[in-house]
Amino acid sequence: MTTTKDCPLEDDECIAFSNWLKLNNIPHAHVANESRSSSKNAMIRGAKLKRMGQSKGVWDYEVYVPIKGMTGAVDCYELLKIEMKRRKGGVVSPEQKAWAKIYEKAGIQAKICRGADEAIEFVESIYKFNNK
């Protein structure tokens, strides 16, 4: 795990969270919206992604929490949106704040999580509530 000043990087938090979701068979997708490279190829790829509909500020994760019915089988899923930040630091952009309002108006539970542990707690709280 890569750390700076005793705090894991956001990428490492995302990997830990994704590994936990996989281990628990929870369907999810990471929205690869990051763009940190200034190489010519990265810039060309970034421009193409924008033309294809990439939207600035879209949150990092779509998590589909299984909801079990009376028989114990999965009847449906509840969509959660998670924006991952480092445990310490990490700024929520104006675009991410705007998406938070969209998720709220769409009835999607969403949370900005400071580290994998907080994201796991959020998912577990929804799972336990819906699968009593």
Side-chain angles (χ1 to χ4, degrees):
M1 181 178 286
T2 309
T3 61
T4 57
K5 297 182 183 176
D6 299 322
C7 182
L9 297 175
E10 182 178 320
D11 291 354
D12 294 322
E13 297 286 6
C14 285
I15 291 168
F17 181 54
S18 180
N19 287 340
W20 180 85
L21 291 166
K22 289 174 191 171
L23 181 68
N24 288 280
N25 297 313
I26 298 174
H28 64 285
H30 178 261
V31 178
N33 220 12
E34 298 87 2
S35 179
R36 293 187 180 119
S37 177
S38 61
S39 73
K40 183 178 179 183
N41 286 340
M43 291 173 72
I44 291 169
R45 178 72 179 147
K48 183 177 180 181
L49 289 172
K50 285 180 185 177
R51 290 193 308 273
M52 293 169 63
Q54 184 181 50
S55 184
K56 192 173 183 179
V58 170
W59 285 19
D60 294 317
Y61 283 95
E62 292 184 353
V63 178
Y64 297 86
V65 176
I67 309 302
K68 295 180 181 177
M70 298 289 284
T71 64
V74 175
D75 280 352
C76 61
Y77 293 88
E78 181 167 353
L79 172 61
L80 308 179
K81 292 293 290 184
I82 294 174
E83 173 59 27
M84 187 72 72
K85 296 294 180 191
R86 296 178 70 181
R87 292 177 201 169
K88 296 177 185 174
V91 176
V92 179
S93 71
E95 294 84 3
Q96 289 168 335
K97 290 176 185 177
W99 276 104
K101 291 177 183 176
I102 291 168
Y103 301 142
E104 180 182 358
K105 288 180 180 182
I108 299 169
Q109 292 198 61
K111 183 171 181 167
I112 297 166
C113 296
R114 301 267 174 208
D117 291 342
E118 191 172 309
I120 290 166
E121 287 175 13
F122 176 53
V123 173
E124 284 180 332
S125 72
I126 302 304
Y127 182 79
K128 288 175 184 174
F129 175 78
N130 287 313
N131 293 289
K132 290 181 183 176

